[in-house]
Amino acid sequence: MAATAVEAPAVERLPRRRGRRGAAVAAVAALVAGAAVVIWLGIAGGRSSGDAAANTLPPDTTQVTRRTLKDAHTADGELGYGTTSTATSRLPGTLTYLPDTSARITRNQPLYKLNNKPVTLMYGHTPAYRNLAAGVEGPDVKQLEQNLRALGYSGFTVDEEYTESTATAVKRWQEDQGLDETGVVELGRVVFAPAAIRIAGLQAAQGDPVAPGQRILSYTETAKAVTVQLDTADQRMAKKGAAVTVTLPDDSSVGGHISEVTTVIQPGEAQGDDPKTKVEVVVTLDNQKAADAYMLASVDVTFTAAERKNVLTVPVAALLALREGGFGVEVVQKDTSRYVPVRTGLFSDGSVEISGDGIAEGTTVGMPK
């Protein structure tokens, strides 16, 4: 049963033109709500809430429905191993060892060797940028000490101070690595990555002379991941940690979560074309085994920026601009109708969440042709 609209003070009635939803469109507002761009069409001069519609009923009607609305977007993605990083030498020498492509390297294993001395992988988020020696302080010192402790070395405190005790532990580590026991970790002897890595490609060959700044190899994480390029208009979808759904080539679905979000600039496809700004999203799969059958593959990724469950909705086209501000709908009851103000919520797929006095599931509202 349709609810009764809220009464309002008497106002001048606006004439209705037969076959149209009022006079010429006067209010056109572009709203970014949950990043969905919606065009709202109002009536010339607007309508006042409580006004009774004159002359004829609207040309078409629909009903207020109760449903779940999602601000969702599906984009193409590439299944692989996520973002690729590059290991660049900070030391001179000759390459005497390189790992195989696709090899998995873990903490304290050599990434490559220069002059038969290893450049070793350790775990951490801060890249190496200086020599580490007694007297140095900072988070990079703590990062090194955390790795030494994880490898079983002791006799020092894990903090941000590189003490003589730290240097003693480093000497023991250097002895085990076949390095000169200086107690100083020279820049370029250790490469830090957040976790174990997978060798993605080689940019140099065994036997090559190497100078500081030369690229040696590229690597990724070891877990399968999906990379998606989103338009900036869809940036609201890219929230780190947010859950997504990945549809694999066999149409099966697997959950995932956004692990990285970065802005990238793509050069123009042809000379003179402007570069494009994209939002690059890396999605880590929650179930790695689900993607075991695929090394590289094109997949679909569904992002959900917002969800409203069990809400009242109408088509966006049913909204009207009200003279006193805000929006309303034309509630139809038998052979009469009345303009009723509403509060709007989430917009999705041509529908909008609404609420307000006189609005209930099954309420009949006017629609344009």
Side-chain angles (χ1 to χ4, degrees), residues 263-308:
T263 300
V264 297
I265 307 297
Q266 296 181 342
E269 295 181 359
Q271 187 174 1
D273 288 351
D274 292 333
K276 296 180 180 179
T277 302
K278 294 286 187 178
V279 178
E280 185 173 273
V281 180
V282 177
V283 173
T284 300
L285 301 181
D286 295 337
N287 180 6
Q288 289 288 311
K289 291 184 178 179
D292 278 351
Y294 308 100
M295 179 65 71
L296 299 172
S298 295
V299 298
D300 291 330
V301 181
T302 301
F303 300 83
T304 301
E307 180 178 5
R308 295 282 292 158

Side-chain angles (χ1 to χ4, degrees), residues 5-72:
V6 176
E7 295 292 341
V11 293
E12 179 184 358
R13 292 186 179 181
L14 300 177
R16 179 191 299 279
R17 292 183 183 177
R18 186 178 301 276
R20 296 186 59 187
R21 192 127 193 236
V25 172
V28 180
L31 173 71
V32 179
V37 178
V38 181
I39 302 298
W40 285 354
L41 302 181
I43 305 302
R47 297 293 191 187
S48 287
S49 61
D51 272 1
N55 300 330
T56 62
L57 292 172
D60 201 1
T61 61
T62 188
Q63 288 190 327
V64 176
T65 59
R66 188 175 294 278
R67 53 180 288 208
T68 295
L69 284 185
K70 289 185 177 182
D71 178 16

